[in-house]
Structure formats: structure tokens, C-alpha cells
Amino acid sequence: MEVNQQNDWVARSLKSVWHPCTQMQHHETVPLIPVSHGRGVWLYDHQGNRYLDAISSWWVNLFGHANPRINAALREQLDMLEHAMLAGFTHEPVIQLSERLAALTQHNLGHAFYASDGASAVEIALKMSFHAWRNMGQGDKQEFVCLKGSYHGETIGALAVTDVALFKDAYGPLLRATQTVMSPDARQADEGETAADVARRAAADVERMFTERAGKIAAIIIEPLVQCATGMAMHDPLYLKLVRELCDKHGVHLILDEIAVGCGRTGTFFACEQAGIWPDFLCLSKGISGGYLPLSIVLSRDEIYQAFYDADVTRGFLHSHSYTGNPLACRAALATLDIFAEDHVLEANKARSRKLTEALAPLASHENTENFRNRGMIWAFDAVGAAPGFSRRFFTEGTKQELLLRPIGNTVYLMPPYILSDEEIDGLAARTLSVFEKTRVG
């Protein structure tokens, strides 16, 4: 395609589309890239330039763009059923997906409730927790606890349990007050402390809060193992185990937001498996559909479901979305689970993770980086002394070197699809180093 035609797509988009998580004026200097198509780990623009999608298109794409097996499953489903309302009706894909997810939790969690995006899943879990306590005669339990630096979405309820000022401050008057406790971020370790020591300190802060306010608290919500939007803050699995014990002791629900960290991203299918615990509510989205269609799910314990099971309509969970349990999205998720099983993805990712960690060694030991960290298929490091505008400069330079990365502040992170070849691993590491060298100063 001619350059002027490519530019035309950019101009038309800037004139008609309000892009997410973007100060639109920045596109006067930061180029907007019109994507033509995707294949594997690569996205292509209309001129044939390619970009290695090292953040899985906001953490959703697990098995590459235009994946043949997911494509085939969707084509088959298109000829059968595109959508049907899930109130009063049901269908094969939503039943099969619900059964398979429950089995993956060893049936500790079941009765999947469906929505379209991660924030909606968080809203559902918050509402379910509050309403379940009310149905059980404990209507005073109306407060929620979140971690410092937490991010759970940008709808009103989800934003209330988010602690990232950039997203939250402008909407403060709209939000319900929440309680905030210490993050278990291992970067906070004092001299001589381990990540487990930080986890114990953070759990002690939860215990203090529960002791003071357990009669008022409905639930605590946590991103297990990695708090992503605050800069890939990683913590020891011990923290989850300790908080689960505190929730049981004080009668508080545990909500785990696995929207970004589930589906194998941290090394196990569910992040909480590494702590040997299960929550009362588990939120999934992003990778569950392989990055194909909007889908989110809340899995809950049977005791939660039973709290709503009654002849009285007002005791039911009266929440709905038009595309709840959409058959196409569920079929994409089933195809995604098939790939996990057939390709032994979790085991293969262990080798892939080791190789990329080794390839990133020059960045891990670089004099201008600190806190290099890895959990499963997530890598991150913090730039030391980076000049203002680092993240935008990094993104722009990255696209010049066939790389799609979007740092969070001064934190550079990688969350690539699970299909990187050895050649792509080496190229990703080398280009990340090159881009860092060119952008860290200014």
C-alpha cells in the first residue's frame, strides 16, 4: 500500500476513534500504527512493516494472531450458533467451558458467571460478595480491601478497589471508599529481608485491618503473584496462603483477580495454585479466549452459589450483560483450553521461560537497570535514572526496531505469546536491549 494510503488510515482513525488509555494529543508526536493483519507473534501494518507483539496485545493473545486451531473452531461455531440469551436458555459451548474450568480448579470453584471484560468480572465478584453476606444475614459487611498499587479495572466498582492514581484520582467523587493495605511487592525488602519476609509484613497489615474491621469487611481483592499495572510488582506465594488463612479466621471473602495473571501467565494455569489455595471468587478474562473475543468469567465456591438459591427473586443475583456467555467467545475459550492440553503448554513454557531469561541476562546485569524479575511468562526490570518521557520514547524506538513494547512508567516488561521460537526469543532480547540503550537517557 502506498505511504499516502497508510497515512490516510491514521488520519481517519484520529478523526473518528477515541483511543483507550491515551492522551490523544500525544499522537501529534507519537505515531499511530494502522494494523493490517497478524500472523503468529507478529503484527503487520499496511506497508508490510512488522512488530513483534511482546505484550500480547495488552496481555490477551496467548497462541499467536490468526491461530489456525482457534480460527477453525470459530468457523465451525459460526455455522451453528452466533448468540443466544443466557437467561432462560443455555447452549453447548457455555456448558462445556463451565465444566472444564470447574475441573481445572479440582471442583473447588464452579457455577461460572459470564461477562465480557475484566472490569465487569470484578464488578460481579464485588456485588456477589456484598449480596451473599446480606443474604446470610450479615448486611453490615459492605467494605472492600485492596492492596496499595492495585489495579482491577476502570468501571466504577472496579476503580474503587484500584490504587493507581493516574486512573483513579479524576473520578474520586464517584467512588465508594475502600480500605487499602500494604502491597507485598518484593522490591520493598529491607536489607537482609527476603520476598517471603515482605509477604509476612504485608499479611500482618491485613491482619491488623481484619482485626479492626472484620465485621464491616465483605472481601479483600488481590492480583495474585503479580500486580501488573503498578509496574509488574511481584510477590512471594506465601502471601496468598497467609491471607487465605486470615480470611477464614475473620470471615472475609477472598477475591483473586486472575484476569491478567491466569491462563498460564505465571507458570501455572491459575496463579493461586502456586500458593496451594483457592479463593472464594476467581476472576478470569484476557487470555481465556486466546485473545480473540471479549469474555470474562467469575468462578465461585458452592457456598456462595447456595447463598442466592431461594424462591425469593430478590435473593437472586440479578446481574446481566447482553452478550453473557456468548457462544463464539466460549468456543474460542474451549479451543484455547484444547491447545493447553494438546501442546502441554505449561511444561513447554518452562523451557521457553528459561531461554528468554538467559537471553535477557545483559539487561538483568545492566548498570542502568534494577529489580530484574521473572514469574512464568512475565519479565520486568526498572530503568534507573531514566529521563522524563521514557515510556513514550521506548515505545516509539521499539516500533522502529520491529518491537511492540509499552513500558509502565520506568518499568519495562515483556508478556509475549506462548509460541516464541528460539530465533524470536533471541531477537526479542537483543532488540529490547538495543531500544533501552537508545532511550534511557533522553
Side-chain angles (χ1 to χ4, degrees):
M1 177 174 283
E2 297 292 335
V3 173
N4 61 346
Q5 290 178 293
Q6 169 114 335
N7 291 341
D8 183 55
W9 284 115
V10 172
R12 288 167 62 182
S13 186
L14 292 175
K15 187 175 180 179
S16 61
V17 180
W18 198 335
H19 292 267
C21 201
T22 301
Q23 169 48 265
M24 292 297 293
Q25 191 185 63
H26 290 170
H27 279 308
E28 293 181 7
T29 55
V30 178
L32 186 67
I33 299 171
V35 176
S36 167
H37 62 284
R39 291 289 183 275
V41 299
W42 298 94
L43 292 169
Y44 295 82
D45 67 19
H46 291 270
Q47 292 181 278
N49 300 310
R50 66 178 189 169
Y51 310 91
L52 199 159
D53 190 357
I55 58 171
S56 299
S57 288
W58 262 347
W59 320 341
V60 302
N61 187 284
L62 302 189
F63 299 118
H65 299 281
N67 182 280
R69 282 183 278 180
I70 302 177
N71 287 357
L74 286 173
R75 289 190 189 99
E76 181 181 16
Q77 185 62 42
L78 276 169
D79 290 332
M80 298 172 63
L81 177 66
E82 81 299 334
H83 184 63
M85 63 186 293
L86 208 59
F89 291 83
T90 193
H91 53 77
E92 182 180 331
V94 78
I95 295 168
Q96 290 184 341
L97 181 56
S98 302
E99 291 173 342
R100 290 179 65 174
L101 289 173
L104 286 171
T105 72
Q106 291 131 46
H107 298 283
N108 286 282
L109 304 171
H111 287 101
F113 199 99
Y114 289 82
S116 300
D117 57 83
S120 295
V122 169
E123 298 276 346
I124 288 163
L126 296 174
K127 288 176 66 177
M128 274 187 178
S129 174
F130 162 80
H131 198 165
W133 286 123
R134 191 181 74 173
N135 283 354
M136 291 186 286
Q138 298 190 58
D140 287 341
K141 295 173 78 67
Q142 300 180 12
E143 296 180 359
F144 296 100
V145 178
C146 66
L147 308 188
K148 183 174 176 58
S150 59
Y151 174 89
H152 299 288
E154 294 164 42
T155 51
I156 296 300
L159 197 56
V161 290
T162 287
D163 185 52
V164 178
L166 178 65
F167 300 117
K168 185 173 184 177
D169 283 359
Y171 308 103
L174 301 177
L175 305 178
R176 185 180 181 89
T178 55
Q179 305 295 332
T180 304
V181 292
M182 172 185 169
S183 166
D185 182 356
R187 292 176 294 180
Q188 300 173 115
D190 294 328
E191 186 175 355
E193 269 195 322
T194 65
D197 293 329
V198 179
R200 291 187 186 94
R201 279 202 286 124
D205 197 38
V206 175
E207 184 170 29
R208 173 194 59 77
M209 179 68 69
F210 284 4
T211 300
E212 292 176 1
R213 307 190 63 80
K216 302 287 187 182
I217 296 172
I220 182 172
I221 183 167
I222 298 170
E223 302 161 85
L225 301 187
V226 186
Q227 293 178 256
C228 293
T230 196
M232 301 300 159
M234 299 185 184
H235 60 257
D236 193 285
L238 175 64
Y239 179 72
L240 302 176
K241 183 176 183 296
L242 295 174
V243 173
R244 174 73 274 181
E245 292 171 356
L246 291 170
C247 287
D248 292 339
K249 177 181 177 180
H250 292 277
V252 174
H253 289 150
L254 175 58
I255 301 171
L256 291 187
D257 174 353
E258 297 221 6
I259 290 160
V261 299
C263 301
R265 186 54 75 178
T266 63
T268 46
F269 190 83
F270 299 110
C272 63
E273 293 179 81
Q274 296 180 47
I277 61 105
W278 295 103
D280 301 292
F281 303 90
L282 192 149
C283 302
L284 287 174
S285 190
K286 290 190 181 292
I288 190 61
S289 71
Y292 267 69
L293 289 165
L295 180 68
S296 63
I297 306 159
V298 178
L299 303 173
S300 60
R301 290 187 180 272
D302 284 345
E303 305 93 272
I304 303 296
Y305 177 79
Q306 290 299 327
F308 293 88
Y309 199 83
D310 196 277
D312 184 349
V313 172
T314 65
R315 291 175 62 87
F317 188 61
L318 306 181
H319 183 105
S320 62
H321 296 267
S322 299
Y323 284 92
T324 292
N326 174 259
L328 289 168
C330 290
R331 184 61 70 188
L334 288 166
T336 298
L337 294 183
D338 286 343
I339 294 173
F340 269 101
E342 294 166 7
D343 292 3
H344 306 288
V345 168
L346 296 177
E347 191 62 31
N349 276 355
K350 291 178 183 178
R352 191 171 284 114
S353 179
R354 285 194 297 271
K355 289 176 182 176
L356 185 48
T357 300
E358 291 170 2
L360 290 169
L363 277 162
S365 61
H366 197 288
E367 63 180 354
N368 295 109
T369 71
E370 61 182 0
N371 302 315
F372 181 89
R373 50 205 182 273
N374 164 241
R375 173 72 70 172
M377 292 293 288
I378 305 175
W379 293 261
F381 61 87
D382 303 323
V384 177
F390 168 75
S391 60
R392 272 186 281 156
R393 292 197 313 277
F394 193 104
F395 169 79
T396 301
E397 178 61 31
T399 61
K400 295 175 183 177
Q401 298 196 38
E402 297 188 334
L403 195 61
L404 170 52
L405 284 174
R406 283 172 59 104
I408 301 171
N410 286 355
T411 297
V412 178
Y413 74 91
L414 289 73
M415 292 178 69
Y418 302 164
I419 61 168
L420 285 171
S421 67
D422 288 353
E423 181 182 1
E424 289 163 342
I425 285 173
D426 290 340
L428 172 56
R431 290 172 185 174
T432 303
L433 175 60
S434 175
V435 173
F436 179 70
E437 290 281 14
K438 289 187 176 183
T439 58
R440 61 184 173 83
V441 177

